Amino acid sequence: MAAGLQRDPIVILRMNGEDLNEFADSSTYETEAVAIFSQVESGNASLRQCLSAALRHLTVDHGMPPASDSLVVETVIEPALQELSSADQLDRPASQEAFFQEFRKYLGIIARRLQERPVIVAHSENTFDGAGVRKILSNKSEFDKLLDSLWGDVPKEHKDRTSKKYLWVAFDRMAASVNLPPYGAVDQVDAVVNEAFKMANADDGKPVDEAEFKKLLTEILGAVMLQLDGNVIAVSSNTVLHEPMSTPSSLLSPSPPSPMVSSPSE
């Protein structure tokens, strides 16, 4: 996914348990814990299953490194779970009260282990709000040049016409020019693009000439812009750095802009 995202600066975070402790002791813990339990509890799920699933609902904003990373699992999550309680208690069906109490204890143990062995996380965020589309649409000369270039690159059939299927190719080629990810990189943006193509009736594969080709691309971009105006899409990426890093600071300076590294994120 990350290969096509905008190259934003990567912030290096040192997860040392401090933020996680603050969350567990905060006034918002109870509300968030109840909300998380309602999402992870299903039927006869055990307390162990609920606690493990709950960690995936926490992010670096809570002070939790990616819970799916092998280093985090092996050195933090599994040892903390073993320390938390006896197997008999963890394998019982989870109640909200038990989850509420044990989850707070679990986070405290994880925070302590992070204090003993901090985890370094590369964090980056991207926001897709339609501003890049609006900018290109407002500059007619630049937009016309872009459309000319896209039309010049698509295969032509007889009588200088091309199939509508090449609208997808053209849209993907201009994604970087309008600050959008390539199709397939971000599911939420893909859904917006799919809807825009549907609204423009641009997905039936019929042949179009140059004027209609450019008109359809303009309509699709306009539809994408309007949808993103009302529903901004934010995407974050978090990657655990397995090389040791020693620093007293909890937040290091951003690195130079570089491609984001893909990793599961919440």
Side-chain angles (χ1 to χ4, degrees), residues 29-247:
Y29 168 77
E30 182 173 356
T31 301
E32 291 199 46
V34 170
I36 290 173
F37 180 74
S38 68
Q39 296 178 61
V40 302
E41 195 280 331
S42 57
N44 294 320
S46 69
L47 182 57
R48 182 192 305 275
Q49 292 171 321
C50 289
L51 290 173
S52 297
L55 289 183
R56 295 194 288 271
H57 289 262
L58 300 183
T59 70
V60 294
D61 290 335
H62 296 95
M64 183 68 201
S68 60
D69 182 85
S70 59
L71 176 70
V72 177
V73 172
E74 294 171 7
T75 64
V76 179
I77 293 175
E78 289 183 349
L81 192 60
Q82 292 173 6
E83 184 180 340
L84 177 63
S85 188
S86 65
D88 289 344
Q89 181 174 347
L90 291 179
D91 290 333
R92 295 173 184 172
S95 67
Q96 179 173 302
E97 181 179 357
F99 173 82
F100 179 81
Q101 298 298 331
E102 294 301 310
F103 191 46
R104 174 173 270 162
K105 293 178 185 177
Y106 191 24
L107 295 182
I109 298 171
I110 290 174
R112 175 169 53 78
R113 296 192 69 87
L114 288 173
Q115 184 178 19
E116 296 168 354
R117 184 177 177 179
V119 173
I120 308 301
V121 177
H123 172 75
S124 185
E125 295 184 1
N126 291 271
T127 300
F128 304 106
D129 57 6
V133 180
R134 181 179 295 102
K135 182 178 179 180
I136 193 70
L137 290 178
S138 66
N139 190 330
K140 187 177 185 307
S141 62
E142 289 300 316
F143 186 50
D144 286 343
K145 289 178 183 178
L146 179 59
L147 291 177
D148 288 341
S149 173
L150 295 171
W151 173 253
D153 288 341
V154 298
K156 308 300 189 301
E157 300 171 358
H158 61 283
K159 296 183 180 178
D160 203 29
R161 296 169 71 85
T162 191
S163 170
K164 283 185 182 179
K165 68 182 180 181
Y166 289 111
L167 287 165
W168 285 99
V169 178
F171 186 88
D172 215 33
R173 283 197 58 212
M174 69 176 173
S177 300
V178 295
N179 292 335
L180 291 176
Y183 192 82
V186 179
D187 290 343
Q188 302 97 310
V189 178
D190 289 349
V192 170
V193 174
N194 289 339
E195 182 63 23
F197 268 77
K198 182 179 178 181
M199 291 171 61
N201 192 27
D203 206 18
D204 57 17
K206 293 181 179 180
V208 291
D209 60 16
E210 179 179 359
E212 188 172 3
F213 181 86
K214 293 179 178 180
K215 177 176 178 291
L216 286 171
L217 275 180
T218 303
E219 291 177 358
I220 292 167
L221 275 177
V224 168
M225 180 185 71
L226 290 175
Q227 290 190 66
L228 291 178
D229 272 346
N231 184 27
V232 175
I233 295 172
V235 180
S236 65
S237 174
N238 298 294
T239 303
V240 174
L241 305 182
H242 288 206
E243 293 298 321
M245 181 179 294
S246 177
T247 173

